[in-house]
């Protein structure tokens, strides 16, 4: 009996060994593959100029299912997404989204800034070494040459041996040029004025492609020369303030800032096609042109990933003119939602649902109109720049015997003349501290930091952290000024931006499509995280100045 049991046990062990060996052999023969990247046919990057995060929640009930809601419901929503530097403005914003770093590294420290090397003001995309294409004006004399690092779009071009196409599209030249990068196939922007044409620079090409010529000679843009009324009944626009108020700008030729705005009547007084910039029609024109680019450039039609960078600029023009609490802003976002749905539908049809990846963010947010805030008993106000300038000049004259020690005061920065200070035997660091102390005593100025502080310290949080990320050692000034929360240097109507305050830094980040999980996070994410996240998704090198980190919660490899 024992012998029989022993034989049975031995046979059982043999069967287990054989079975294990077969499974092990099968495992060796058929290893589990680890997917390390995704290859969407097309990546679409969308920057909505001046979009506050709360526009997503505030107007949620007004949105349809195909635009913002589709991105949230099918994709990933980073609810606590911020700019981690100042100034929060268009040029730096677009650059930081696409470079994965901040002005301290990529060098775009403003839309315009005082250039210490040439002793003159420069524009972030201006370049007189190139000529206009598609116009006889100077509006095309542009390039990305002031941007010091590569972009995610540059890295895609390098990774694909220049086979992946990159196209940038925006009403604003800087909104098209900086995201498209140094090695883009093309960037196009809107000339406005008398023509309403889309143009480019000889940096990219010598003549416009036929599809752009066809778009310019069509009646697509001209069709928007029509009155601007609300898309939905105005009584449903309860997420914004009164239609008639004292916080909005007034178009030339209008007697009231109320809807409707009769564009055909005031056309000539407001720059003709430039008037469309300050309306949702500018976004619709951008969507029209982006869809023409999708087809004309055959984007997403093969296995090599292409990239379409779109910036919707009209949201910024409308916000500046009417303010973030206006019915004009609400209507602009309702209409933008429809334009997004139009784009996503076209991508489904032409590229294929599930074959493309989209991200949407903003280049900065904006403050509520301070005069409105004051009327609501909220601390806010306006810097008296003329009074500050006069008082500051008196101080310089008294302290140093001359105002020439300051070469420039712009973008909330003071640029000192180091040669004059040296000749006067005045230590630069001491002069910075003395001037900072003086400016801090002025009404409306909340904090002041010196260039020496930016050099000598490594800030990790708060306002100084944000300022340091925006401080470029070669390009930035000697003294950095931060207005009190709620205070701006601007007109009494309309909204603006640029500060390190949270109302300027909190913006949306939505992603959906191939390689993107469905979900959300309230963990802090920062603008420089976007480019390395997309690079990780694609399996390509990060932009060469990257300081951000991939957002791991977003990505899905399966």
């Amino acid at each position: 009996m024992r012998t029989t049991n022993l034989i049975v046990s031995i046979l059982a062990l043999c069967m287990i060994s054989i079975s294990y060996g077969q499974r092990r052999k099968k495992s060796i023969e058929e290893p589990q593959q680890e997917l390390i990247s995704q290859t969407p046919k097309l990546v679409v990057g969308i920057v909505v100029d001046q979009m506050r995060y709360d526009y997503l929640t505030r107007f949620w009930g007004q949105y349809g299912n195909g635009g913002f809601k589709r991105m949230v419901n099918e994709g990933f929503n980073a609810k606590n997404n911020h700019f981690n530097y100042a100034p929060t403005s268009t040029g730096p914003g677009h650059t930081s989204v696409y470079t994965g770093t901040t002005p301290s590294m990529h060098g775009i420290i403003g839309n315009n800034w005082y250039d210490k090397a040439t002793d003159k003001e420069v524009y972030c995309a201006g370049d007189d070494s190139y000529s206009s294409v598609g116009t006889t004006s100077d509006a095309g004399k542009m390039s990305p040459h002031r941007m010091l690092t590569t972009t995610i779009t540059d890295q895609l071009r390098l990774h694909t041996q220049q086979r992946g196409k990159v196209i940038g599209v925006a009403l604003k030249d800087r909104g098209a040029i900086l995201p498209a990068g140094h090695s883009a196939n093309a960037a196009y922007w809107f000339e406005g004025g008398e023509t309403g044409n889309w143009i480019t620079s000889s940096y990219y090409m010598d003549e416009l492609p036929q599809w752009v010529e066809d778009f310019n000679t069509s009646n697509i843009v001209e069709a928007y020369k029509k009155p601007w009324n609300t898309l939905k009944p105005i009584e449903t626009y309860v997420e914004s303030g009164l239609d008639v108020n004292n916080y909005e700008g007034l178009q030339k030729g209008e007697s009231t800032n109320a809807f409707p705005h009769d564009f055909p009547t005031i056309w000539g007084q407001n720059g003709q096609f430039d008037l469309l910039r300050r309306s949702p029609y500018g976004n619709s024109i951008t969507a029209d042109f982006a869809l023409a680019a999708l087809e004309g450039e055959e984007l997403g039609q093969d296995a090599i990933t292409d990239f379409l960078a779109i910036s919707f600029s009209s949201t910024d023009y409308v916000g500046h003119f009417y303010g973030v609490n206006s019915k004009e802003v609400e209507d602009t976002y309702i209409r933008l939602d429809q334009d997004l749905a139009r784009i996503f539908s076209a991508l489904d049809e032409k590229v294929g649902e599930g074959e493309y990846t989209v991200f949407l963010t903003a280049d900065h947010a904006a403050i509520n109109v301070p005069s409105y805030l004051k009327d609501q008993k909220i601390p806010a106000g306006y810097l008296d720049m003329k009074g500050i300038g006069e008082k500051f000049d008196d101080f310089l004259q008294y302290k140093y015997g001359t105002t020439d020690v300051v070469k420039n005061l712009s973008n909330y920065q003071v640029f000192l003349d180091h040669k004059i200070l040296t000749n006067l035997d005045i230590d630069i660091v001491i002069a910075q501290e003395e001037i900072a102390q003086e400016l801090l005593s002025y009404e409306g100025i909340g904090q002041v930091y010196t260039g020496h502080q930016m050099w000598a310290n490594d800030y990790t949080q708060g306002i100084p952290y944000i300022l340091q990320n925006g401080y470029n050692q070669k390009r930035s000034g000697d003294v950095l000024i931060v207005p009190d929360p709620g205070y701006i240097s601007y007109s009494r109507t309309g909204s603006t931006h640029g500060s390190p305050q949270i109302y300027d830094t909190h913006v949306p980040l939505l992603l959906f499509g191939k390689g993107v999980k469905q979900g959300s996070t309230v963990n802090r994410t920062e603008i420089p995280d976007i480019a390395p996240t997309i690079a990780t998704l694609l399996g390509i090198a990060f932009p060469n100045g990257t300081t951000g980190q991939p957002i791991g919660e977003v990505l899905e490899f399966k």
Side-chain angles (χ1 to χ4, degrees), residues 194-252:
E194 296 179 358
T195 69
N197 285 341
W198 287 82
I199 64 171
T200 190
S201 164
S202 61
Y203 177 86
Y204 305 101
M205 64 191 72
D206 295 325
E207 59 183 17
L208 293 175
Q210 189 59 51
W211 69 265
V212 179
E213 294 279 12
D214 291 344
F215 189 95
N216 284 339
T217 56
S218 72
N219 290 320
I220 293 174
V221 175
E222 284 75 5
Y224 291 101
K225 184 182 176 182
K226 59 184 180 181
W228 173 20
N229 207 347
T230 54
L231 182 66
K232 298 181 178 182
I234 197 167
E235 59 269 19
T236 68
Y237 286 31
V238 295
E239 295 82 10
S240 47
L242 297 174
D243 190 27
V244 179
N245 59 71
N246 297 321
Y247 316 118
E248 300 178 5
L250 190 65
Q251 303 281 5
K252 293 178 182 177

Side-chain angles (χ1 to χ4, degrees), residues 84-88 92 96 101-110 411 413 454 463-473 475-477 480 500:
N84 63 342
Y85 68 84
T88 42
S96 298
T101 189
T102 63
S104 64
M105 183 70 70
H106 62 60
I108 303 299
I109 64 171
N411 289 340
Q413 297 186 40
M454 296 294 106
I463 295 296
Y465 163 74
I466 294 174
L467 292 179
Q468 191 168 52
N469 284 331
Y471 185 87
N472 185 277
Q473 291 184 340
R475 295 181 175 180
S476 296
L480 311 179

Side-chain angles (χ1 to χ4, degrees), residues 453-523:
Q453 287 177 296
M454 296 294 106
W455 281 60
N457 299 295
D458 183 18
Y459 298 108
T460 59
Q461 61 184 354
I463 295 296
Y465 163 74
I466 294 174
L467 292 179
Q468 191 168 52
N469 284 331
Y471 185 87
N472 185 277
Q473 291 184 340
K474 285 190 173 182
R475 295 181 175 180
S476 296
D478 292 276
V479 178
L480 311 179
I481 302 167
V482 181
D484 280 321
Y487 277 74
I488 60 175
S489 173
Y490 200 64
S491 69
R492 266 49 178 179
T493 59
S495 295
T496 193
H497 49 85
S499 81
Q501 306 294 355
I502 202 163
Y503 45 73
D504 283 340
T505 69
H506 191 195
V507 298
L509 173 57
L510 306 175
L511 306 96
F512 93 111
K514 191 167 188 177
V516 176
K517 290 180 182 177
Q518 195 283 326
S520 65
T521 183
V522 294
N523 294 329

